[in-house]
Amino acid sequence: MNKSPIDSEGRFQQRKLNIWWFSQYASTPDQQFTAQFDLAKRLVDRGHRVTFFASGFSHYKFQEIRLKPDEKWRVDEFEGVRFVWIRTPPYTRNNWKRAVNICAYSWRAFRLARSWKETPDLLIGTTFHPLASLAACATAASKRRPFVFEVKDLWPLTVIEFGRLGARNPMALSLALLERFLARRARRIMTTLPGAVEYYGRLGIPPEKVVWIPNGLELSRYSSLSPYPGELSNPCTLLYAGGLVSANALDTILRTAQIQQEENSSVRFVFVGGGQDKARLMGLARELKLRNVEFRDAVPKSELHRVIEQADALLLSMRDLPALYRYGMSFNKLCDYAASGRPILFAGNPSHNLVEEFQCGIVIPPENPHAFSLAIHRFIKMTPEQRAAMGRNGIRCAKERFDMRILAQRLEEMLISAADESSGSQGSEEHRHPANSSEVSSGKIETLSQTN
């Protein structure tokens, strides 16, 4: 009898992969965005090798946080996950400087990865912007290895719906062609959007090629939190934790705070995070003379649960863009919100609405401050038992949908399947698997010189 390729914990035994992951904003738990690191760490624990090609410039702090002034790139290892930090030009908002930053990352990541003698089993390219995926796809072609297209945001639909490009703009048309090329070239499309099968079906992509793996988190980070009793503090604290960017419609929350202040309510609004819109939002709060609003700096993901623990409820808002959000949503902050066991006040109307499905909060029409204010009144009038029940439903949502252990297993199965479909993907051990960490540190992996 043949031995099963799956062990007692559901892990595939037959393949240990060397995975290269092109994700400009990938980071470690001492920063804000860690979902990809958490997945990678799980893969490493299962015996695989994961290398991120990421920018050393922080998209949240707008400064270089990884590289010394004379370094153009550096290899680091964190808890077994390898990072190749690449220098990219600075920017502070969404203008031409950010476009230069994106282009520089994509070209430098491709040029650096292509030069390595090491050969991966497969490559993942993350579309926070499509050029990172293009860099991964081009490197995969040069290494003759399969490419996995990871989609966080739909391009060009996202930029069109946000009004940054017209649908017939030449740039939008070019992005649409690039999206179609990447989707067809990819061995798998890995996406956080539950409705992506419908979206890519319109591009002629068969549904079996699309794999839904939602954002998740390590639930252990929230295991020590005190149970939420449902009692309100004084003042009642409503907290937003995440990126202070225009996509999150935070003006709605500030306008809601204005209504609450005019009503002399005992509610305060706390914003924790950084982002391109922070200065403008703080300016709007001053313009509205809001005394019930507080802005705090971003905290590392490893400390976020302690900040959330101070809240009576958590705030989430989004733009009113039904043509975009018909395919679902993928907010990282929703994972933390649910796992914290605190009720969620969510202003949004996406399909696959988990707040509504799990009844872990109150759903409000998007971009409607008056409706949001009424929802706050409703929340305050609830009994402690009702609020506590919402919190427990959130924990159930996190365990069923966001548990990194489950998501990592799903990812592993997909990656092994994609690698096994590639003829000749086994390669040689010498080329497929990297040198050990001491060889990395001593520079024995041949790459481009940092001074080139």
Side-chain angles (χ1 to χ4, degrees):
M1 180 181 294
N2 292 333
K3 184 178 179 180
S4 171
I6 302 177
D7 66 16
S8 61
E9 296 183 12
R11 296 182 295 198
F12 279 71
Q13 295 178 346
Q14 75 270 37
R15 294 295 301 275
K16 301 302 178 188
L17 300 177
N18 180 17
I19 303 157
W20 285 7
W21 203 328
F22 288 63
S23 177
Q24 181 166 356
Y25 310 125
S27 193
T28 50
D30 59 330
Q31 301 299 317
Q32 285 74 52
F33 174 63
T34 65
Q36 289 182 322
F37 171 84
D38 290 339
L39 276 174
K41 178 64 169 60
R42 287 280 180 175
L43 292 175
V44 168
D45 290 344
R46 293 166 182 254
H48 305 287
R49 181 63 159 158
V50 181
T51 301
F52 283 108
F53 291 82
S55 174
F57 183 84
S58 172
H59 179 60
Y60 302 96
K61 298 179 179 179
F62 304 118
Q63 62 186 27
E64 176 61 58
I65 63 173
R66 305 291 184 181
L67 299 173
K68 298 176 182 177
D70 60 340
E71 290 181 320
K72 293 188 176 181
W73 55 267
R74 188 177 71 245
V75 178
D76 282 339
E77 193 162 302
F78 191 91
E79 296 183 13
V81 179
R82 187 167 62 166
F83 284 86
V84 181
W85 303 116
I86 298 168
R87 184 173 297 281
T88 55
Y91 65 92
T92 56
R93 56 186 189 274
N94 275 324
N95 57 13
W96 65 270
K97 289 187 177 181
R98 187 180 181 198
V100 170
N101 174 278
I102 287 171
C103 292
Y105 161 78
S106 304
W107 170 245
R108 291 171 185 175
F110 164 69
R111 189 163 171 251
L112 182 59
R114 184 186 61 174
S115 71
W116 283 22
K117 289 187 176 181
E118 175 188 331
T119 302
D121 289 291
L122 81 172
L123 299 91
I124 303 172
T126 301
T127 292
F128 290 113
H129 61 77
L131 293 187
S133 297
L134 179 61
C137 182
T139 306
S142 72
K143 300 286 185 178
R144 298 184 180 180
R145 291 294 180 262
F147 159 63
V148 174
F149 185 25
E150 184 186 19
V151 177
K152 298 284 190 182
D153 297 308
L154 297 171
W155 286 69
L157 183 60
T158 298
V159 291
I160 291 172
E161 287 299 305
F162 275 89
R164 294 171 185 166
L165 287 178
R168 306 305 299 174
N169 184 289
M171 180 62 72
L173 296 174
S174 298
L175 288 171
L177 289 174
L178 176 57
E179 175 188 51
R180 187 182 296 268
F181 169 79
L182 292 171
R184 292 182 173 178
R185 185 70 182 233
R187 186 60 48 85
R188 295 286 188 279
I189 299 174
M190 163 187 169
T191 179
T192 55
L193 301 173
V197 167
E198 177 191 354
Y199 179 82
Y200 285 105
R202 298 177 178 213
L203 300 181
I205 305 300
E208 62 271 15
K209 189 174 177 177
V210 182
V211 180
W212 175 49
I213 301 179
N215 287 316
L217 78 166
E218 292 292 346
L219 298 182
S220 59
R221 293 192 182 121
Y222 288 88
S223 60
S224 62
L225 252 63
S226 303
Y228 174 66
E231 299 285 350
L232 295 180
S233 54
N234 188 17
C236 174
T237 299
L238 308 181
L239 184 140
Y240 171 88
L244 302 181
V245 295
S246 59
N248 293 329
L250 299 178
D251 294 54
T252 301
I253 298 178
L254 289 180
R255 298 289 181 183
T256 302
Q258 181 184 26
I259 295 171
Q260 289 287 308
Q261 181 171 281
E262 290 171 351
E263 295 174 348
N264 295 315
S265 71
S266 59
V267 175
R268 68 168 180 155
F269 297 78
V270 178
F271 294 82
V272 178
Q276 298 160 5
D277 227 26
K278 186 171 185 176
R280 187 189 67 80
L281 291 168
M282 293 177 71
L284 178 59
R286 288 192 297 269
E287 179 184 329
L288 298 176
K289 299 180 180 179
L290 298 179
R291 301 180 302 277
N292 56 352
V293 170
E294 176 185 352
F295 287 89
R296 301 181 189 174
D297 292 335
V299 298
K301 189 80 164 189
S302 57
E303 299 176 16
L304 181 59
H305 61 287
R306 293 302 178 195
V307 175
I308 288 179
E309 191 175 27
Q310 304 168 20
D312 293 291
L314 301 165
L315 304 173
L316 183 62
S317 62
M318 58 192 295
R319 299 275 297 277
D320 187 12
L321 301 172
L324 175 62
Y325 292 121
R326 64 180 291 181
Y327 304 108
M329 60 179 183
S330 59
F331 291 109
N332 275 295
K333 63 182 71 64
L334 181 58
C335 305
D336 294 279
Y337 283 10
S340 73
R342 269 63 182 169
I344 301 167
L345 304 184
F346 175 38
N349 58 353
S351 66
H352 309 86
N353 188 334
L354 293 180
V355 177
E356 184 175 61
E357 178 182 346
F358 283 87
Q359 298 184 337
C360 54
I362 299 175
V363 177
I364 307 153
E367 300 193 83
N368 188 329
H370 290 282
F372 209 133
S373 185
L374 290 174
I376 292 172
H377 288 303
R378 176 185 164 193
F379 172 73
I380 291 173
K381 289 179 181 178
M382 286 180 171
T383 66
E385 291 76 17
Q386 288 174 318
R387 290 190 288 264
M390 285 182 173
R392 290 192 298 271
N393 289 340
I395 293 174
R396 180 169 60 88
C397 174
K399 290 180 177 179
E400 293 183 15
R401 298 295 176 86
F402 304 142
D403 187 344
M404 195 59 72
R405 177 184 54 184
I406 298 172
L407 301 181
Q409 180 175 327
R410 192 184 306 175
L411 174 60
E412 181 185 41
E413 292 172 4
M414 181 271 286
L415 294 177
I416 289 175
S417 173
D420 282 346
E421 287 179 14
S422 298
S423 60
S425 67
Q426 297 285 342
S428 69
E429 290 296 313
E430 178 183 0
H431 287 163
R432 284 197 305 114
H433 291 285
N436 60 39
S437 58
S438 62
E439 291 174 322
V440 171
S441 301
S442 62
K444 292 183 180 179
I445 290 181
E446 294 188 25
T447 61
L448 290 175
S449 167
Q450 295 187 46
T451 58
N452 282 356

